[in-house]
Amino acid sequence: MRKKPAKKHGLKKPGGSRASAGARKFILKYGELWLKSEFVRNRFIKTLAENVSRQLRMAGIKEFRLERTRDMLILDCANPKAPQTLSKIFGITWFALAFETKPEMKAMEKAVLALAKKIGREQTFAIRASRSDKSLAFTSKDVENEMGKNVDRKVDLSNPDVTIFVELRKGMAYVYSEKLKGAGGLPYGVTGRVLSLLSGGIDSPVASWLMMKRGCSVDFVHYYVNESGVAKIQGLVKKLGEYAPAKLMLYSVPFASIQEAIVKNCDTHFTCVLCKRLMYITACSLAKETKAKALVTGENLAQVASQTLDNLVANDDAVSMPKFRPLLTMDKTETIALANKIGTYDLSIREAHACRFVPRKPATNAKKEIIDREANKIKNLDKIIAKAIASSIKSTV
Ligand code: ATP
Ligand code: MG
């Protein structure tokens, strides 16, 4: 098959030759893209390359050069903020700052020796070579044997303190010692658009992030009673936006009229289950506008009284749209650990307005027929919802 020329973005002052051992560039490795067909893989890689360029620019990094190859992106960028940004781009499993040299013993050895300077006196090392270009005159083993010869440190092949990797490719070799963790997942935007129900709590930002990680474009809906709480939600969306290649869209929908309709017309024992049902219905209606294919919530099985299996089932067919619940089976400690990693935890635990309609004893084993019956008591629900959506605050965060 004919090879496409590598695509380049943002051409300006690349890293150049910053060390005698050669230029240093970031190599960015894809995750499970090898599972995909050639066509899908190419589409994903193209999106990933666009996302990398966009996220770098959004972080204020303007000078870089990006090359696309079949199994990695090569980024030439001297900005010290680059690693921080790269660690927040979905679709990159790991990345490394590598010396780029000719695939020749002398050149590669220079790079190896430059990296070896950082190996402590008491530390051990190993060289690991891999070769995708089988036409080269030497094997990976030859490279491993040759490269280590002049490194004045102890070799430990089974459990080295430092590993120096040498990747031999067509016309080029990459030499590096530190693999940095990427965000993993799939490139943002490749799997489709969803609408996430974002409360100010700990869970829903994590659920949204997991959907972003799985390649979804995510819009957000937040239901508020007090407008002063919206700033906190914008803060959460902004934080999540650090992982996206574009600004994110938040719809803040006033919910007081909907809650009042519930407490005025229905048995208040079921207020929380009904409230959740109307959140789904409102989101479903809004999703027609945002073109979302599914809803996302931070619900977890049995974490709180409102999320018992009975309560979740009672509302299951309230809307025809699928509801994705990425946290369904997670322990709270796991969710909190993720929230901390993402950076949403501290924002989430800031003070929130408590709901004044929560009954003293909320229903934990609601029955679908009863919730259907109670919901049907609300007249003109469509109009109430349409009015709330019409007066929602749209913000691009
Ligand atoms: P969270 O930590 O996300 O607030 P929670 O454990 O407190 O979740 P609930 O309050 O029952 O549980 O909410 C369950 C889910 O319903 C939330 O994760 C969110 O997806 C959605 N939700 C709840 N309140 C709101 C709201 N005010 N606006 C938008 N979505 C909401
Ligand atoms: Mg909550």
Side-chain angles (χ1 to χ4, degrees):
M1 178 175 268
R2 208 157 56 87
K3 251 188 94 185
K4 275 194 201 157
K7 189 163 179 188
K8 294 181 179 169
H9 298 258
L11 305 177
K12 249 191 180 180
K13 270 202 194 155
S17 177
R18 265 170 263 134
S20 59
R24 292 186 87 178
K25 294 183 181 174
F26 289 99
I27 56 172
L28 319 179
K29 295 283 183 162
Y30 322 136
E32 56 189 82
L33 294 193
W34 52 269
L35 287 171
K36 313 278 181 262
S37 66
E38 182 87 6
F39 174 78
V40 174
R41 190 168 57 229
N42 285 340
R43 185 166 66 82
F44 279 22
I45 294 171
K46 182 171 177 278
T47 304
L48 179 62
E50 285 163 5
N51 291 354
V52 170
S53 295
R54 287 203 187 119
Q55 282 186 238
L56 288 171
R57 283 197 203 100
M58 284 168 78
I61 301 170
K62 303 275 180 318
E63 298 192 353
F64 60 89
R65 181 196 288 261
L66 190 64
E67 266 180 53
R68 215 160 84 196
T69 74
R70 205 174 166 280
D71 64 343
M72 68 183 188
L73 297 179
I74 301 162
L75 172 70
D76 196 352
C77 177
N79 194 309
K81 284 198 299 187
Q84 166 74 356
T85 305
L86 293 174
S87 70
K88 293 185 173 177
I89 301 176
F90 292 125
I92 298 173
T93 319
W94 60 267
F95 59 100
L97 186 56
F99 284 107
E100 186 184 67
T101 76
K102 292 204 168 120
E104 293 164 4
M105 290 290 193
K106 275 242 148 344
M108 294 187 295
E109 192 184 22
K110 256 191 188 172
V112 168
L113 292 175
L115 291 172
K117 279 187 196 148
K118 298 226 172 93
I119 307 174
R121 216 151 255 301
E122 303 305 319
Q123 287 186 306
T124 58
F125 82 102
I127 309 271
R128 300 255 182 265
S130 59
R131 188 177 64 138
S132 61
D133 180 8
K134 304 291 177 205
S135 69
L136 287 167
F138 38 78
T139 64
S140 308
K141 252 289 104 347
D142 296 336
V143 174
E144 288 176 357
N145 293 336
E146 197 60 31
M147 294 294 114
K149 269 187 187 162
N150 294 318
V151 177
D152 181 22
R153 292 289 180 269
K154 213 172 140 203
V155 173
D156 181 348
L157 294 180
S158 51
N159 190 24
D161 294 315
V162 177
T163 305
I164 297 179
F165 300 91
V166 183
E167 271 190 40
L168 295 133
R169 308 165 74 85
K170 216 168 191 67
M172 221 44 103
Y174 292 88
V175 183
Y176 53 92
S177 62
E178 204 185 350
K179 288 185 179 181
L180 300 165
K181 204 167 161 38
L186 298 172
Y188 182 93
V190 292
T191 48
R193 186 166 288 279
V194 295
L195 179 62
S196 184
L197 283 72
L198 190 66
S199 72
I202 295 167
D203 302 334
S204 44
V206 176
S208 312
W209 183 86
L210 286 169
M211 296 309 293
M212 291 165 73
K213 183 177 183 210
R214 216 47 216 158
C216 286
S217 299
V218 182
D219 295 313
F220 298 88
V221 55
H222 171 67
Y223 303 113
Y224 71 90
V225 175
N226 194 324
E227 206 179 311
S228 64
V230 171
K232 173 180 171 179
I233 308 301
Q234 287 174 334
L236 283 166
V237 175
K238 195 168 166 54
K239 194 60 176 151
L240 293 169
E242 291 175 12
Y243 294 84
K247 297 232 178 227
L248 299 174
M249 189 59 124
L250 167 67
Y251 296 83
S252 302
V253 179
F255 213 58
S257 56
I258 298 174
Q259 280 181 327
E260 276 156 23
I262 298 171
V263 284
K264 242 191 241 161
N265 296 290
C266 315
D267 180 344
T268 53
H269 179 53
F270 301 108
T271 297
C272 296
V273 185
L274 286 160
C275 183
K276 191 60 60 60
R277 174 175 290 215
L278 299 203
M279 283 186 188
Y280 294 151
I281 295 175
T282 310
C284 200
S285 189
L286 181 63
K288 292 195 186 94
E289 202 177 300
T290 67
K291 307 260 187 304
K293 292 181 180 151
L295 305 180
V296 179
T297 81
E299 286 162 318
N300 172 287
L301 185 57
Q303 185 178 95
V304 286
S306 60
Q307 297 167 16
T308 60
L309 185 56
D310 279 340
N311 286 1
L312 293 176
V313 170
N315 274 334
D316 199 51
D317 61 5
V319 291
S320 55
M321 261 184 137
K323 293 174 283 302
F324 294 151
R325 300 176 172 111
L327 308 187
L328 193 77
T329 61
M330 276 167 72
D331 290 351
K332 191 73 182 184
T333 48
E334 293 172 303
T335 305
I336 290 175
L338 252 183
N340 270 313
K341 181 182 136 176
I342 301 163
T344 52
Y345 183 77
D346 290 339
L347 291 167
S348 288
I349 59 171
R350 282 190 197 160
E351 207 191 340
H353 299 281
C355 176
R356 66 191 172 99
F357 295 120
V358 177
R360 215 166 50 80
K361 267 192 130 198
T364 53
N365 55 355
K367 299 274 169 297
K368 183 187 155 335
E369 309 73 56
I370 296 176
I371 302 302
D372 286 347
R373 186 195 69 204
E374 291 299 317
N376 283 335
K377 288 183 185 169
I378 305 172
K379 301 285 166 257
N380 298 321
L381 183 60
D382 291 352
K383 278 196 188 132
I384 300 171
I385 289 177
K387 203 168 160 205
I389 291 181
S391 37
S392 61
I393 309 164
K394 266 192 214 179
S395 29
T396 316
V397 185

